[in-house]
Amino acid sequence: SGGAILELDFIPFTANLTDVMTRQKEPYHPTVKDKEIIYDPYRRLSWLDHFFSEATTLENFRRGTYAEMGDFIAGAYQPVLSRRWGNLDLSLSREGAVVIGAEKLPVKVKKTAYFTKKDAKLHIEYEIVNLSGQELTVQFASEFAFGFPAADEAREENGVLSLKLIDRRERFALDFRLSESAKAWRFPLDTVSRSDQGFEKVYQGMALVFAWPIALRAGHFWRSEMIIECTAILPNAGRK
């Protein structure tokens, strides 16, 4: 659901970059005191498409208390496979809706992903079409979830065209390059677990969100591109 990426592997290090668990309520959670517990309102996957108001903040989003205006998170997407320049393209599209006030505006999201053969680059293209008869003004966001430690606190950056995440444990880096500057949010996906020592805060991964303000007249579209590249940052010492 959501036209999402479940698993993204970096083969040289046999690493699943998106190995993240969805945070759910556990029977012992009501007894936890003095520790923040956040539950995920949807399955933690990558390449999820959000629509929310310009008033939405990092804290709202991180806690899951924001208002999702689109029906794309859990909606079904139509897949199409094709070839371009010798690469296999996967296009996912959905004609859904974005609710603004009392209006339910029809919107189409099409996203395409392909790998180049010679390197570890994932190319992503977005296209959003306003199918309604009135202007669409909203924030569109693309969310990714990663299982490696690259966010120890919530952080917001504006005007982002490039961003790097580093996993020094596994010795690789993820580089993001955007064609349109975006607001970037990153925050840890923490939960509370019970052990012999009591209740402990557990890091389960991180979320990375790129958000763009879009204003589309009736029948108009918005397009953007992203490249994600995974590279080794240190010699692969000690591995076979």
PDB file of all heavy atoms in Angstrom, residues 11-38:
ATOM      1  N   ILE A  11      24.049  -3.934  -1.801  1.00  0.00           N
ATOM      2  CA  ILE A  11      24.577  -5.285  -1.951  1.00  0.00           C
ATOM      3  C   ILE A  11      26.028  -5.443  -1.478  1.00  0.00           C
ATOM      4  O   ILE A  11      26.370  -6.437  -0.837  1.00  0.00           O
ATOM      5  CB  ILE A  11      24.440  -5.758  -3.417  1.00  0.00           C
ATOM      6  CG1 ILE A  11      22.961  -5.742  -3.835  1.00  0.00           C
ATOM      7  CG2 ILE A  11      25.033  -7.146  -3.610  1.00  0.00           C
ATOM      8  CD1 ILE A  11      22.074  -6.625  -2.986  1.00  0.00           C
ATOM      9  N   PRO A  12      26.942  -4.475  -1.753  1.00  0.00           N
ATOM     10  CA  PRO A  12      28.333  -4.683  -1.314  1.00  0.00           C
ATOM     11  C   PRO A  12      28.484  -4.950   0.176  1.00  0.00           C
ATOM     12  O   PRO A  12      29.402  -5.669   0.590  1.00  0.00           O
ATOM     13  CB  PRO A  12      29.021  -3.361  -1.712  1.00  0.00           C
ATOM     14  CG  PRO A  12      28.225  -2.872  -2.868  1.00  0.00           C
ATOM     15  CD  PRO A  12      26.803  -3.238  -2.548  1.00  0.00           C
ATOM     16  N   PHE A  13      27.603  -4.371   0.998  1.00  0.00           N
ATOM     17  CA  PHE A  13      27.697  -4.586   2.442  1.00  0.00           C
ATOM     18  C   PHE A  13      26.546  -5.439   2.967  1.00  0.00           C
ATOM     19  O   PHE A  13      26.359  -5.543   4.171  1.00  0.00           O
ATOM     20  CB  PHE A  13      27.693  -3.241   3.181  1.00  0.00           C
ATOM     21  CG  PHE A  13      28.984  -2.468   3.052  1.00  0.00           C
ATOM     22  CD1 PHE A  13      29.111  -1.224   3.628  1.00  0.00           C
ATOM     23  CD2 PHE A  13      30.061  -2.985   2.353  1.00  0.00           C
ATOM     24  CE1 PHE A  13      30.293  -0.497   3.518  1.00  0.00           C
ATOM     25  CE2 PHE A  13      31.243  -2.274   2.233  1.00  0.00           C
ATOM     26  CZ  PHE A  13      31.356  -1.023   2.812  1.00  0.00           C
ATOM     27  N   THR A  14      25.779  -6.054   2.060  1.00  0.00           N
ATOM     28  CA  THR A  14      24.607  -6.850   2.448  1.00  0.00           C
ATOM     29  C   THR A  14      23.780  -6.128   3.501  1.00  0.00           C
ATOM     30  O   THR A  14      23.384  -6.701   4.522  1.00  0.00           O
ATOM     31  CB  THR A  14      25.016  -8.245   2.953  1.00  0.00           C
ATOM     32  OG1 THR A  14      25.828  -8.116   4.136  1.00  0.00           O
ATOM     33  CG2 THR A  14      25.775  -9.023   1.906  1.00  0.00           C
ATOM     34  N   ALA A  15      23.511  -4.854   3.242  1.00  0.00           N
ATOM     35  CA  ALA A  15      22.781  -4.035   4.211  1.00  0.00           C
ATOM     36  C   ALA A  15      21.410  -3.668   3.664  1.00  0.00           C
ATOM     37  O   ALA A  15      21.296  -3.158   2.545  1.00  0.00           O
ATOM     38  CB  ALA A  15      23.561  -2.764   4.524  1.00  0.00           C
ATOM     39  N   ASN A  16      20.363  -3.941   4.433  1.00  0.00           N
ATOM     40  CA  ASN A  16      19.016  -3.484   4.107  1.00  0.00           C
ATOM     41  C   ASN A  16      18.856  -2.095   4.723  1.00  0.00           C
ATOM     42  O   ASN A  16      18.705  -1.952   5.932  1.00  0.00           O
ATOM     43  CB  ASN A  16      17.976  -4.452   4.661  1.00  0.00           C
ATOM     44  CG  ASN A  16      16.553  -3.956   4.447  1.00  0.00           C
ATOM     45  OD1 ASN A  16      16.322  -3.001   3.706  1.00  0.00           O
ATOM     46  ND2 ASN A  16      15.605  -4.601   5.099  1.00  0.00           N
ATOM     47  N   LEU A  17      18.879  -1.069   3.895  1.00  0.00           N
ATOM     48  CA  LEU A  17      18.870   0.307   4.387  1.00  0.00           C
ATOM     49  C   LEU A  17      17.555   0.685   5.057  1.00  0.00           C
ATOM     50  O   LEU A  17      17.526   1.553   5.929  1.00  0.00           O
ATOM     51  CB  LEU A  17      19.147   1.281   3.236  1.00  0.00           C
ATOM     52  CG  LEU A  17      20.398   1.007   2.391  1.00  0.00           C
ATOM     53  CD1 LEU A  17      20.526   2.056   1.300  1.00  0.00           C
ATOM     54  CD2 LEU A  17      21.637   0.979   3.269  1.00  0.00           C
ATOM     55  N   THR A  18      16.470   0.032   4.669  1.00  0.00           N
ATOM     56  CA  THR A  18      15.144   0.415   5.157  1.00  0.00           C
ATOM     57  C   THR A  18      14.586  -0.591   6.162  1.00  0.00           C
ATOM     58  O   THR A  18      13.371  -0.794   6.248  1.00  0.00           O
ATOM     59  CB  THR A  18      14.176   0.575   3.974  1.00  0.00           C
ATOM     60  OG1 THR A  18      14.147  -0.641   3.223  1.00  0.00           O
ATOM     61  CG2 THR A  18      14.622   1.706   3.078  1.00  0.00           C
ATOM     62  N   ASP A  19      15.451  -1.209   6.916  1.00  0.00           N
ATOM     63  CA  ASP A  19      15.039  -2.201   7.914  1.00  0.00           C
ATOM     64  C   ASP A  19      14.522  -1.490   9.167  1.00  0.00           C
ATOM     65  O   ASP A  19      15.263  -1.240  10.121  1.00  0.00           O
ATOM     66  CB  ASP A  19      16.223  -3.109   8.264  1.00  0.00           C
ATOM     67  CG  ASP A  19      15.827  -4.239   9.196  1.00  0.00           C
ATOM     68  OD1 ASP A  19      14.616  -4.470   9.374  1.00  0.00           O
ATOM     69  OD2 ASP A  19      16.738  -4.884   9.756  1.00  0.00           O
ATOM     70  N   VAL A  20      13.235  -1.131   9.159  1.00  0.00           N
ATOM     71  CA  VAL A  20      12.629  -0.358  10.239  1.00  0.00           C
ATOM     72  C   VAL A  20      11.326  -1.027  10.666  1.00  0.00           C
ATOM     73  O   VAL A  20      10.544  -1.483   9.833  1.00  0.00           O
ATOM     74  CB  VAL A  20      12.339   1.092   9.790  1.00  0.00           C
ATOM     75  CG1 VAL A  20      11.638   1.870  10.892  1.00  0.00           C
ATOM     76  CG2 VAL A  20      13.626   1.791   9.398  1.00  0.00           C
ATOM     77  N   MET A  21      11.091  -1.073  11.974  1.00  0.00           N
ATOM     78  CA  MET A  21       9.851  -1.623  12.503  1.00  0.00           C
ATOM     79  C   MET A  21       8.839  -0.506  12.753  1.00  0.00           C
ATOM     80  O   MET A  21       9.207   0.611  13.126  1.00  0.00           O
ATOM     81  CB  MET A  21      10.109  -2.381  13.809  1.00  0.00           C
ATOM     82  CG  MET A  21      10.991  -3.610  13.654  1.00  0.00           C
ATOM     83  SD  MET A  21      11.327  -4.426  15.240  1.00  0.00           S
ATOM     84  CE  MET A  21       9.664  -4.942  15.699  1.00  0.00           C
ATOM     85  N   THR A  22       7.569  -0.818  12.548  1.00  0.00           N
ATOM     86  CA  THR A  22       6.498   0.124  12.855  1.00  0.00           C
ATOM     87  C   THR A  22       6.222   0.098  14.354  1.00  0.00           C
ATOM     88  O   THR A  22       6.083  -0.970  14.952  1.00  0.00           O
ATOM     89  CB  THR A  22       5.221  -0.247  12.084  1.00  0.00           C
ATOM     90  OG1 THR A  22       5.519  -0.243  10.677  1.00  0.00           O
ATOM     91  CG2 THR A  22       4.104   0.726  12.372  1.00  0.00           C
ATOM     92  N   ARG A  23       6.157   1.261  14.965  1.00  0.00           N
ATOM     93  CA  ARG A  23       5.960   1.344  16.418  1.00  0.00           C
ATOM     94  C   ARG A  23       4.481   1.172  16.769  1.00  0.00           C
ATOM     95  O   ARG A  23       3.641   1.964  16.330  1.00  0.00           O
ATOM     96  CB  ARG A  23       6.487   2.680  16.939  1.00  0.00           C
ATOM     97  CG  ARG A  23       7.994   2.845  16.756  1.00  0.00           C
ATOM     98  CD  ARG A  23       8.456   4.236  17.108  1.00  0.00           C
ATOM     99  NE  ARG A  23       7.883   5.225  16.203  1.00  0.00           N
ATOM    100  CZ  ARG A  23       8.126   6.528  16.284  1.00  0.00           C
ATOM    101  NH1 ARG A  23       8.913   6.995  17.238  1.00  0.00           N
ATOM    102  NH2 ARG A  23       7.583   7.372  15.424  1.00  0.00           N
ATOM    103  N   GLN A  24       4.200   0.129  17.545  1.00  0.00           N
ATOM    104  CA  GLN A  24       2.833  -0.193  17.930  1.00  0.00           C
ATOM    105  C   GLN A  24       2.714  -0.287  19.447  1.00  0.00           C
ATOM    106  O   GLN A  24       3.706  -0.432  20.162  1.00  0.00           O
ATOM    107  CB  GLN A  24       2.399  -1.516  17.287  1.00  0.00           C
ATOM    108  CG  GLN A  24       2.449  -1.500  15.767  1.00  0.00           C
ATOM    109  CD  GLN A  24       2.080  -2.829  15.152  1.00  0.00           C
ATOM    110  OE1 GLN A  24       2.101  -3.858  15.817  1.00  0.00           O
ATOM    111  NE2 GLN A  24       1.731  -2.816  13.877  1.00  0.00           N
ATOM    112  N   LYS A  25       1.486  -0.232  19.908  1.00  0.00           N
ATOM    113  CA  LYS A  25       1.245  -0.286  21.348  1.00  0.00           C
ATOM    114  C   LYS A  25       1.511  -1.685  21.884  1.00  0.00           C
ATOM    115  O   LYS A  25       1.062  -2.674  21.325  1.00  0.00           O
ATOM    116  CB  LYS A  25      -0.193   0.126  21.654  1.00  0.00           C
ATOM    117  CG  LYS A  25      -0.470   0.320  23.135  1.00  0.00           C
ATOM    118  CD  LYS A  25      -1.843   0.910  23.364  1.00  0.00           C
ATOM    119  CE  LYS A  25      -2.077   1.183  24.848  1.00  0.00           C
ATOM    120  NZ  LYS A  25      -3.410   1.799  25.080  1.00  0.00           N
ATOM    121  N   GLU A  26       2.275  -1.740  22.978  1.00  0.00           N
ATOM    122  CA  GLU A  26       2.566  -3.001  23.652  1.00  0.00           C
ATOM    123  C   GLU A  26       1.771  -3.066  24.958  1.00  0.00           C
ATOM    124  O   GLU A  26       1.437  -2.027  25.543  1.00  0.00           O
ATOM    125  CB  GLU A  26       4.063  -3.112  23.953  1.00  0.00           C
ATOM    126  CG  GLU A  26       4.968  -3.062  22.729  1.00  0.00           C
ATOM    127  CD  GLU A  26       4.834  -4.286  21.841  1.00  0.00           C
ATOM    128  OE1 GLU A  26       4.263  -5.298  22.300  1.00  0.00           O
ATOM    129  OE2 GLU A  26       5.300  -4.233  20.694  1.00  0.00           O
ATOM    130  N   PRO A  27       1.460  -4.284  25.437  1.00  0.00           N
ATOM    131  CA  PRO A  27       0.633  -4.422  26.645  1.00  0.00           C
ATOM    132  C   PRO A  27       1.193  -3.702  27.869  1.00  0.00           C
ATOM    133  O   PRO A  27       0.428  -3.249  28.724  1.00  0.00           O
ATOM    134  CB  PRO A  27       0.580  -5.938  26.857  1.00  0.00           C
ATOM    135  CG  PRO A  27       0.801  -6.524  25.503  1.00  0.00           C
ATOM    136  CD  PRO A  27       1.764  -5.590  24.829  1.00  0.00           C
ATOM    137  N   TYR A  28       2.513  -3.591  27.975  1.00  0.00           N
ATOM    138  CA  TYR A  28       3.125  -2.983  29.156  1.00  0.00           C
ATOM    139  C   TYR A  28       3.283  -1.465  29.054  1.00  0.00           C
ATOM    140  O   TYR A  28       3.659  -0.812  30.015  1.00  0.00           O
ATOM    141  CB  TYR A  28       4.501  -3.616  29.418  1.00  0.00           C
ATOM    142  CG  TYR A  28       5.452  -3.551  28.247  1.00  0.00           C
ATOM    143  CD1 TYR A  28       6.208  -2.412  27.982  1.00  0.00           C
ATOM    144  CD2 TYR A  28       5.603  -4.643  27.399  1.00  0.00           C
ATOM    145  CE1 TYR A  28       7.071  -2.356  26.918  1.00  0.00           C
ATOM    146  CE2 TYR A  28       6.472  -4.597  26.318  1.00  0.00           C
ATOM    147  CZ  TYR A  28       7.202  -3.455  26.086  1.00  0.00           C
ATOM    148  OH  TYR A  28       8.055  -3.407  25.019  1.00  0.00           O
ATOM    149  N   HIS A  29       2.997  -0.885  27.905  1.00  0.00           N
ATOM    150  CA  HIS A  29       3.190   0.555  27.717  1.00  0.00           C
ATOM    151  C   HIS A  29       2.392   1.425  28.697  1.00  0.00           C
ATOM    152  O   HIS A  29       2.893   2.475  29.130  1.00  0.00           O
ATOM    153  CB  HIS A  29       2.874   0.949  26.278  1.00  0.00           C
ATOM    154  CG  HIS A  29       3.996   0.663  25.325  1.00  0.00           C
ATOM    155  ND1 HIS A  29       3.878   0.774  23.960  1.00  0.00           N
ATOM    156  CD2 HIS A  29       5.285   0.259  25.556  1.00  0.00           C
ATOM    157  CE1 HIS A  29       5.027   0.460  23.380  1.00  0.00           C
ATOM    158  NE2 HIS A  29       5.892   0.141  24.323  1.00  0.00           N
ATOM    159  N   PRO A  30       1.155   1.057  29.071  1.00  0.00           N
ATOM    160  CA  PRO A  30       0.429   1.909  30.025  1.00  0.00           C
ATOM    161  C   PRO A  30       1.118   2.067  31.375  1.00  0.00           C
ATOM    162  O   PRO A  30       0.831   3.011  32.117  1.00  0.00           O
ATOM    163  CB  PRO A  30      -0.921   1.197  30.170  1.00  0.00           C
ATOM    164  CG  PRO A  30      -1.096   0.468  28.875  1.00  0.00           C
ATOM    165  CD  PRO A  30       0.281  -0.005  28.518  1.00  0.00           C
ATOM    166  N   THR A  31       2.035   1.161  31.697  1.00  0.00           N
ATOM    167  CA  THR A  31       2.730   1.238  32.988  1.00  0.00           C
ATOM    168  C   THR A  31       4.020   2.042  32.914  1.00  0.00           C
ATOM    169  O   THR A  31       4.669   2.244  33.946  1.00  0.00           O
ATOM    170  CB  THR A  31       3.050  -0.178  33.502  1.00  0.00           C
ATOM    171  OG1 THR A  31       3.996  -0.810  32.618  1.00  0.00           O
ATOM    172  CG2 THR A  31       1.785  -1.031  33.570  1.00  0.00           C
ATOM    173  N   VAL A  32       4.393   2.486  31.717  1.00  0.00           N
ATOM    174  CA  VAL A  32       5.641   3.239  31.546  1.00  0.00           C
ATOM    175  C   VAL A  32       5.434   4.673  32.025  1.00  0.00           C
ATOM    176  O   VAL A  32       4.472   5.344  31.648  1.00  0.00           O
ATOM    177  CB  VAL A  32       6.088   3.231  30.076  1.00  0.00           C
ATOM    178  CG1 VAL A  32       7.334   4.097  29.905  1.00  0.00           C
ATOM    179  CG2 VAL A  32       6.357   1.808  29.608  1.00  0.00           C
ATOM    180  N   LYS A  33       6.349   5.135  32.855  1.00  0.00           N
ATOM    181  CA  LYS A  33       6.299   6.508  33.378  1.00  0.00           C
ATOM    182  C   LYS A  33       7.538   7.286  32.926  1.00  0.00           C
ATOM    183  O   LYS A  33       8.626   6.722  32.786  1.00  0.00           O
ATOM    184  CB  LYS A  33       6.228   6.509  34.908  1.00  0.00           C
ATOM    185  CG  LYS A  33       5.097   5.663  35.490  1.00  0.00           C
ATOM    186  CD  LYS A  33       3.725   6.176  35.081  1.00  0.00           C
ATOM    187  CE  LYS A  33       2.611   5.336  35.696  1.00  0.00           C
ATOM    188  NZ  LYS A  33       1.272   5.791  35.255  1.00  0.00           N
ATOM    189  N   ASP A  34       7.361   8.577  32.718  1.00  0.00           N
ATOM    190  CA  ASP A  34       8.469   9.501  32.450  1.00  0.00           C
ATOM    191  C   ASP A  34       9.254   9.183  31.181  1.00  0.00           C
ATOM    192  O   ASP A  34      10.421   9.543  31.059  1.00  0.00           O
ATOM    193  CB  ASP A  34       9.451   9.536  33.635  1.00  0.00           C
ATOM    194  CG  ASP A  34       8.757   9.927  34.921  1.00  0.00           C
ATOM    195  OD1 ASP A  34       7.864  10.790  34.860  1.00  0.00           O
ATOM    196  OD2 ASP A  34       9.097   9.354  35.969  1.00  0.00           O
ATOM    197  N   LYS A  35       8.618   8.497  30.236  1.00  0.00           N
ATOM    198  CA  LYS A  35       9.264   8.243  28.948  1.00  0.00           C
ATOM    199  C   LYS A  35       8.250   8.480  27.832  1.00  0.00           C
ATOM    200  O   LYS A  35       7.110   8.036  27.926  1.00  0.00           O
ATOM    201  CB  LYS A  35       9.808   6.811  28.861  1.00  0.00           C
ATOM    202  CG  LYS A  35      10.991   6.536  29.779  1.00  0.00           C
ATOM    203  CD  LYS A  35      11.563   5.153  29.544  1.00  0.00           C
ATOM    204  CE  LYS A  35      12.688   4.825  30.517  1.00  0.00           C
ATOM    205  NZ  LYS A  35      13.858   5.675  30.305  1.00  0.00           N
ATOM    206  N   GLU A  36       8.679   9.198  26.810  1.00  0.00           N
ATOM    207  CA  GLU A  36       7.790   9.482  25.689  1.00  0.00           C
ATOM    208  C   GLU A  36       7.600   8.237  24.834  1.00  0.00           C
ATOM    209  O   GLU A  36       8.559   7.572  24.457  1.00  0.00           O
ATOM    210  CB  GLU A  36       8.378  10.606  24.829  1.00  0.00           C
ATOM    211  CG  GLU A  36       7.518  10.971  23.643  1.00  0.00           C
ATOM    212  CD  GLU A  36       8.155  12.010  22.743  1.00  0.00           C
ATOM    213  OE1 GLU A  36       9.292  11.780  22.290  1.00  0.00           O
ATOM    214  OE2 GLU A  36       7.532  13.066  22.513  1.00  0.00           O
ATOM    215  N   ILE A  37       6.359   7.914  24.547  1.00  0.00           N
ATOM    216  CA  ILE A  37       6.045   6.802  23.657  1.00  0.00           C
ATOM    217  C   ILE A  37       5.206   7.334  22.503  1.00  0.00           C
ATOM    218  O   ILE A  37       4.150   7.928  22.710  1.00  0.00           O
ATOM    219  CB  ILE A  37       5.285   5.680  24.378  1.00  0.00           C
ATOM    220  CG1 ILE A  37       6.097   5.153  25.559  1.00  0.00           C
ATOM    221  CG2 ILE A  37       4.982   4.544  23.407  1.00  0.00           C
ATOM    222  CD1 ILE A  37       5.399   4.053  26.332  1.00  0.00           C
ATOM    223  N   ILE A  38       5.679   7.111  21.298  1.00  0.00           N
ATOM    224  CA  ILE A  38       4.970   7.543  20.094  1.00  0.00           C
ATOM    225  C   ILE A  38       4.629   6.308  19.272  1.00  0.00           C
ATOM    226  O   ILE A  38       5.470   5.434  19.057  1.00  0.00           O
ATOM    227  CB  ILE A  38       5.829   8.511  19.265  1.00  0.00           C
ATOM    228  CG1 ILE A  38       6.094   9.798  20.047  1.00  0.00           C
ATOM    229  CG2 ILE A  38       5.152   8.835  17.933  1.00  0.00           C
ATOM    230  CD1 ILE A  38       7.027  10.760  19.350  1.00  0.00           C
TER     231      ILE A  38
END
